[in-house]
Amino acid sequence: MLISHWHATLDRPPLPTIDPPATAEVVVVGAGVVGAATALWLARAGLQPLVIDRQGPAAGATGNNGGLLSAGLAENYLAATARHGHEAARELYALSLAGQRLLVELIEQERIDCDLRLHGNVNIAIGEAQLSIAAATVSALQADGFPAALLDRAATQEMVGIPLGAAVTGARLNPAAGTLHSAKLVHGLLAAAHRYGARFSWGITVQSIASDAGRLRLLTDRGAISAAAAVIAVNAWSGEIVPELAQRIKLVRGQALCTVPVEPFIACGFGASLTPTGEYGQQLPGGQVLFGGCRAVAPDHDVGALPGEVSPEVQNAIEASLGRLFPTLAGIAIERRWSGAMAFTADYLPIVANPAPGLFAVGGFSGHGMPFAAIVGRHLAEAVQTGTMPAALALLGMERVTLV
């Protein structure tokens, strides 16, 4: 089993755990960034959430991602506008921007040491066609009041301390972005929730959920738990617990690698579209370069491929793409390789559902859950307390037409 850089470098003591109790006020299923943020909001509100996970903190998408906290949508803003309409796209982008800022606030308020660096993100353009799309995207974002800037090749090179590839024509700068250590973030969110009263049980698999005399009965492999409410935040595995989501959320394997350390050359996160499914990365505080993506070269784009292992064709493509962006890194030694389970929807937006009284579910972040975690978690905590889904999440509802 391959281990991500985040898990390999998580130098934190284990969180305290308990045996699963027979009853709980509210249960949060899933200990990724969304489940952790939801648990923190619930605990801050005076509830005593029980967080359970079949593996442990950040075992899914969060602990295997690129460590990028960037406002925006998984889909380009122009494409999102064409799909959802201008007003809806603007509301969705605003939600992600508010979420990005809210997570930064949580990190600061709870004094979470997760290597947060707020230096923005550059989406590097390859060729003139991509630069034209970047220019149109920046214009659309700026017109709607969102932070964005267009960089030509020279301005992009000023941000990068090693030569850019010959095909690089410029970049789109997202100032509302940063990088962090994903596993340290989740550990910190959960540790903060514990200080407010949250409890944890790891190694618990939820098999089914049913309504029972005004409460929820969560049947697990270690007995049943009766709860007044539950939040299901297991992303790629949502359909195993909430059948209504099984056909709407698809498991997709994402692969990444980490190079040996090199001298610092870029402070911000970065992305590109060297393949149709895109690439992403950052230079870590220790000098290593984390880089991932290139699913397009895998059979069926790695849709349905189980995480844990990596494939030679995707890993070779990741290495080649890194060299195309930064030629001096071509052939660099690789320190670590890994993969994780992402969860995609047909319209690249997460789904928030309320399939039964007291039961709430969220998943399908399409590789872009970090900016949504804090704000969706806060609204889900509100939903648990009021029994109704907040209007702020209406555009993420399960019955939206763009999911068809």
Side-chain angles (χ1 to χ4, degrees):
M1 184 73 172
L2 301 174
I3 301 175
S4 75
H5 170 81
W6 309 129
H7 285 289
T9 57
L10 180 61
D11 53 352
R12 299 288 187 271
L15 294 163
T17 61
I18 62 172
D19 290 331
T23 62
E25 193 170 11
V26 55
V27 177
V28 177
V29 183
V33 65
V34 177
T38 303
L40 178 53
W41 289 117
L42 288 166
R44 276 184 163 195
L47 302 178
Q48 195 178 54
L50 171 69
V51 184
I52 63 177
D53 193 286
R54 63 182 174 188
Q55 290 181 277
T62 307
N64 295 284
N65 66 14
L68 304 176
L69 176 56
S70 302
L73 309 175
E75 194 171 37
N76 175 276
Y77 192 57
L78 300 177
T81 299
R83 185 189 299 272
H84 304 285
H86 178 240
E87 290 303 316
R90 184 168 61 180
E91 287 184 39
L92 289 163
Y93 199 98
L95 183 69
S96 79
L97 179 60
Q100 189 265 351
R101 291 170 174 169
L102 185 60
L103 185 53
V104 172
E105 288 179 15
L106 275 182
I107 291 169
E108 293 172 346
Q109 290 170 0
E110 301 297 343
R111 300 182 179 180
I112 298 172
D113 180 7
C114 59
D115 301 336
L116 177 65
R117 297 174 293 165
L118 297 173
H119 299 306
N121 185 283
V122 287
N123 188 270
I124 299 171
I126 306 297
E128 294 300 328
Q130 288 191 13
L131 188 61
S132 295
I133 294 172
T137 303
V138 167
S139 295
L141 288 168
Q142 290 178 340
D144 284 342
F146 300 127
L150 183 68
L151 308 178
D152 61 16
R153 179 183 169 91
T156 306
Q157 183 64 79
E158 288 180 7
M159 299 186 68
V160 182
I162 57 177
L164 291 168
V168 173
T169 50
R172 173 171 55 86
L173 172 64
N174 179 359
T179 58
L180 48 71
H181 190 296
S182 300
K184 289 180 181 178
L185 169 64
V186 171
H187 187 283
L189 291 170
L190 291 171
H194 183 260
R195 290 194 296 269
Y196 292 104
R199 300 172 297 165
F200 313 125
S201 287
W202 310 139
I204 312 294
T205 299
V206 176
Q207 298 169 331
S208 64
I209 301 179
S211 298
D212 183 14
R215 292 176 65 84
L216 296 173
R217 184 175 184 270
L218 287 77
L219 181 62
T220 81
D221 58 347
R222 292 177 60 184
I225 303 173
S226 174
V231 176
I232 311 303
V234 294
N235 210 25
W237 317 108
S238 299
E240 295 183 2
I241 303 175
V242 183
E244 295 89 337
L245 298 179
Q247 300 304 314
R248 294 176 170 88
I249 295 177
K250 291 184 179 180
L251 182 153
V252 178
R253 182 173 64 181
Q255 300 188 41
L257 56 76
C258 183
T259 74
V260 297
V262 296
E263 289 298 314
F265 70 91
I266 187 168
C268 64
F270 58 90
S273 291
L274 292 153
T275 68
T277 49
E279 290 72 46
Y280 55 88
Q282 63 160 298
Q283 186 172 26
L284 301 164
Q288 305 97 325
V289 180
L290 185 158
F291 197 56
C294 296
R295 291 187 299 105
V297 307
D300 200 23
H301 293 185
D302 262 354
V303 174
L306 293 177
E309 300 301 322
V310 297
S311 61
E313 66 269 25
V314 172
Q315 290 291 311
N316 290 339
I318 293 174
E319 291 188 50
S321 295
L322 183 61
R324 286 182 62 192
L325 286 180
F326 312 115
T328 57
L329 298 183
I332 189 172
I334 305 304
E335 186 175 271
R336 188 175 300 276
R337 306 176 191 272
W338 68 90
S339 67
M342 300 186 292
F344 276 69
T345 64
D347 61 3
Y348 303 98
L349 288 176
I351 298 172
V352 180
N354 180 201
L359 178 61
F360 302 91
V362 60
F365 286 92
S366 303
H368 207 67
M370 296 290 269
F372 286 103
I375 199 158
V376 169
R378 186 178 69 180
H379 286 309
L380 287 172
E382 294 170 1
V384 167
Q385 295 169 79
T386 64
T388 59
M389 192 70 75
L393 298 181
L395 289 173
L396 304 180
M398 186 167 59
E399 302 305 325
R400 61 183 187 262
V401 296
T402 50
L403 278 177
V404 178

